Amino acid sequence: MTIILYDINSTLADKIWNPNASKARLCLNFKGIPFTTEWIEHPNIGHCSQKIGPSPTAKKPDGSPLYTVPFNHDTSMGAAIADSILIAEYLEKPYPGIPKIFPNSTAGLQSTFNDVFLANLGTLLAVTYHKMMPYLNSAAVAYMAAIVERVRSKNRTEDWMKLKDDMSKIEGWYIRNGGIGSARSHPGPTSWSRAGSFLKGMHWERIVRIGKI
């Protein structure tokens, strides 16, 4: 049994910063599945994906395939899967033992929640993404500069207010369900909390305060 998790490199001591890759890592650890991590750079994601075999997760504006991390390579099964929610669903099949990531046939529901959860955090990137740049390697900084500039907040006051509203909406979903941690689920919110923890100072403190993460 050999699973390789492909993640994006960084200058952090443990290298872990990408929230989507952290979801896959948490799922692997939760199920107790041994794995190794292969650290790659942003510019190499497409080349590495085409070499290993996971399907693209989306399309670029020009219609060409977009490859993203995380992706898993299960060498014992000959499977390569991209996208954290699809990785979680895959792990339930060849490794069906307890504990389950999706108990009580909730994979479809949790997949839908994952999409809606991320859709309501778009402003988070606008107010924080540029702060992540010092933690990326030089190759990643050059690659990400245009993306960061595109999503960077143009009106910080307005974006912080929108982020507060969006996170309050998400908090309301959890309250209706008995609160965060009241039921086992795919680790989307946890991974975003981990990713934000290296945003030192007022940015992360402000996010925690308005979102009560």
Side-chain angles (χ1 to χ4, degrees):
M1 177 190 306
T2 303
I3 287 186
I4 304 171
L5 172 65
Y6 288 80
D7 196 354
I8 300 174
N9 208 348
S10 79
T11 61
L12 294 171
D14 63 3
K15 299 185 180 182
I16 299 172
W17 75 274
N18 185 283
N20 292 317
S22 291
K23 298 178 195 177
R25 181 175 289 103
L26 286 165
C27 287
L28 286 161
N29 285 328
F30 179 69
K31 289 185 76 71
I33 300 172
F35 70 97
T36 60
T37 301
E38 183 75 20
W39 300 100
I40 59 178
E41 302 291 352
H42 276 85
N44 299 331
I45 294 174
H47 173 75
C48 190
S49 296
Q50 291 173 334
K51 179 181 177 180
I52 301 301
S55 300
T57 55
K59 289 186 178 181
K60 297 179 182 178
D62 63 3
S64 61
L66 174 66
Y67 295 93
T68 60
V69 295
F71 60 90
N72 269 13
H73 185 200
D74 188 341
T75 58
S76 63
M77 298 290 181
I81 310 294
D83 192 315
S84 62
I85 194 74
L86 296 181
I87 290 172
E89 291 177 7
Y90 166 77
L91 293 175
E92 297 283 71
K93 297 173 183 176
Y95 309 98
I98 302 298
K100 288 185 173 293
I101 301 169
F102 304 109
N104 305 318
S105 301
T106 58
L109 178 62
Q110 292 196 46
S111 179
T112 301
F113 174 80
N114 180 68
D115 292 343
V116 176
F117 176 84
L118 294 177
N120 278 271
L121 283 182
T123 312
L124 180 61
L125 295 180
V127 298
T128 63
Y129 217 168
H130 64 288
K131 289 291 185 178
M132 299 179 186
M133 294 295 276
Y135 301 97
L136 304 182
N137 291 341
S138 57
V141 170
Y143 182 79
M144 292 293 292
I147 298 174
V148 170
E149 189 58 35
R150 186 174 70 247
V151 303
R152 181 198 288 268
S153 175
K154 306 303 187 291
N155 186 326
R156 294 187 63 79
T157 299
E158 181 178 302
D159 284 343
W160 274 110
M161 290 179 65
K162 186 177 187 307
L163 180 60
K164 179 179 179 179
D165 289 342
D166 289 343
M167 295 188 77
S168 294
K169 182 192 300 182
I170 293 171
E171 181 189 19
W173 298 341
Y174 281 104
I175 290 173
R176 291 172 62 186
N177 198 48
I180 293 179
S182 61
R184 188 183 306 158
S185 64
H186 177 249
T190 302
S191 67
W192 279 93
S193 298
R194 168 64 176 84
S197 64
F198 62 80
L199 296 171
K200 311 299 187 201
M202 287 188 63
H203 283 82
W204 182 239
E205 292 172 8
R206 191 172 183 182
I207 292 168
V208 171
R209 186 168 64 251
I210 67 175
K212 299 181 182 178
I213 292 176

